């Protein structure tokens, strides 16, 4: 326990502070392209489980916090690679793993397909066919996953995930892919569309740091397990009225 005026943090915590806030401020990337993780309040302020977690990290490390705002996961990853942010909230993916280290997931969400009501497509398995164009957010977890998985369908990339449905409609594409909750909200907004039953992928959302920041990654890994175990994550999801997402199970071992 630290006590007394001017007390210094333990050496291991100083190493974490140095790696997570090398500029003296924790620069946390907040992605509004995924409404499960972050949304804007009435005055435009960032809200959501990722925001709550970032604030808790900064509080525990006793460092200032800068919530750096983005509209797509792809832009978050590029900013992390360029050293413009120190902490990211992104889906675990092996391609991204080349440049960052993850914690275990804290939230699990679903990827879904959206089609027009009169579309002949009825099941997720029917999407991967020649002539089917699937719109995804550029650099999103769905983009990375479907790039590997789709063999016959064609991927068309929208600038951001929130732009997917509008591009799907405007360019008369066959399928839109993304966060299930985002597509459900889009379906209510635009009408005459429907989601295919079930999901085409499970998305594990984790915290990520640039490759090589070992002390930060280890500290964050323990932190996120505690946040799950103490129901911090569950309470944040409830507080922000997030539906359709589940707290990830504890890390094995």
């Amino acid at each position: 326990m630290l006590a007394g005026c001017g007390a210094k943090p333990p050496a291991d915590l100083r190493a974490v502070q140095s790696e997570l806030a090398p500029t003296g401020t924790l620069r946390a990337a907040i992605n509004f392209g995924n409404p499960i993780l972050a949304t804007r309040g009435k005055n435009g302020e960032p809200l959501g489980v990722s925001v709550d977690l970032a604030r808790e990290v900064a509080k525990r490390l006793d460092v200032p916090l800068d919530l750096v705002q983005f509209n797509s996961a792809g832009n978050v990853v590029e900013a992390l690679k360029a050293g413009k942010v120190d902490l990211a909230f992104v889906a675990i993916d092996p391609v991204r793993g080349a440049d960052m280290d993850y914690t275990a997931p804290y939230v699990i969400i679903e990827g879904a397909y959206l089609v027009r009501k009169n579309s002949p497509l009825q099941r997720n398995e029917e999407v991967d066919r020649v002539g089917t164009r699937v719109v995804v957010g550029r650099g999103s977890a769905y983009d990375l996953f479907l790039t590997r998985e789709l063999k016959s369908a064609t991927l068309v990339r929208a600038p951001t995930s929130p732009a997917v449905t509008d591009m799907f409609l405007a360019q008369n594409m066959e399928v839109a892919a993304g966060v299930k909750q985002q597509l459900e909200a889009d379906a209510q907004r635009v009408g005459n569309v429907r989601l295919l039953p079930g999901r085409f992928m499970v998305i594990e959302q984790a915290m990520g740091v640039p490759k090589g920041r070992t002390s930060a990654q280890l500290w964050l890994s323990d932190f996120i397990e505690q946040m799950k175990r103490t129901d911090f994550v569950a309470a944040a999801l409830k507080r922000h009225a997030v539906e359709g997402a589940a707290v990830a199970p504890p890390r094995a071992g």
Side-chain angles (χ1 to χ4, degrees), residues 198-220:
R199 64 197 185 196
F200 68 84
M201 71 177 294
V202 174
I203 304 145
E204 296 181 318
Q205 291 289 338
M207 302 171 89
V209 295
K211 207 80 172 176
R213 297 190 186 183
T214 306
S215 296
Q217 193 271 341
L218 291 173
W219 187 89
L220 285 172

Side-chain angles (χ1 to χ4, degrees), residues 38 72 80-81 88 95 115 165 173 181 189 207 228 248 250:
S72 76
L80 191 79
K81 289 167 59 177
V95 173
V115 299
T165 296
M173 302 290 181
Q181 287 71 23
R189 174 174 63 87
M207 302 171 89
K228 291 186 291 186

Side-chain angles (χ1 to χ4, degrees), residues 42-62:
K42 293 181 180 179
N43 298 317
E45 71 277 16
L47 300 173
V49 61
S50 62
V51 177
D52 293 350
L53 286 168
R55 286 177 173 151
E56 187 66 18
V57 169
K59 176 182 175 182
R60 294 191 178 207
L61 293 179
D62 193 24

Side-chain angles (χ1 to χ4, degrees), residues 112-126:
Y113 289 133
L114 180 79
V115 299
R116 289 173 177 77
K117 281 190 175 179
N118 63 357
S119 170
L121 298 173
Q122 300 296 326
R123 299 184 301 119
N124 292 322
E125 295 77 13
E126 297 172 358

Side-chain angles (χ1 to χ4, degrees), residues 22-78:
T23 65
T25 295
L26 173 62
R27 301 169 299 172
I30 301 300
N31 174 25
F32 294 109
N34 186 340
I36 296 293
L37 303 184
T39 58
R40 298 184 190 276
K42 293 181 180 179
N43 298 317
E45 71 277 16
L47 300 173
V49 61
S50 62
V51 177
D52 293 350
L53 286 168
R55 286 177 173 151
E56 187 66 18
V57 169
K59 176 182 175 182
R60 294 191 178 207
L61 293 179
D62 193 24
V63 295
L65 175 65
D66 180 15
L67 298 175
V68 187
Q69 302 176 22
F70 297 88
N71 289 320
S72 76
N75 288 339
V76 168
V77 173
E78 290 304 313

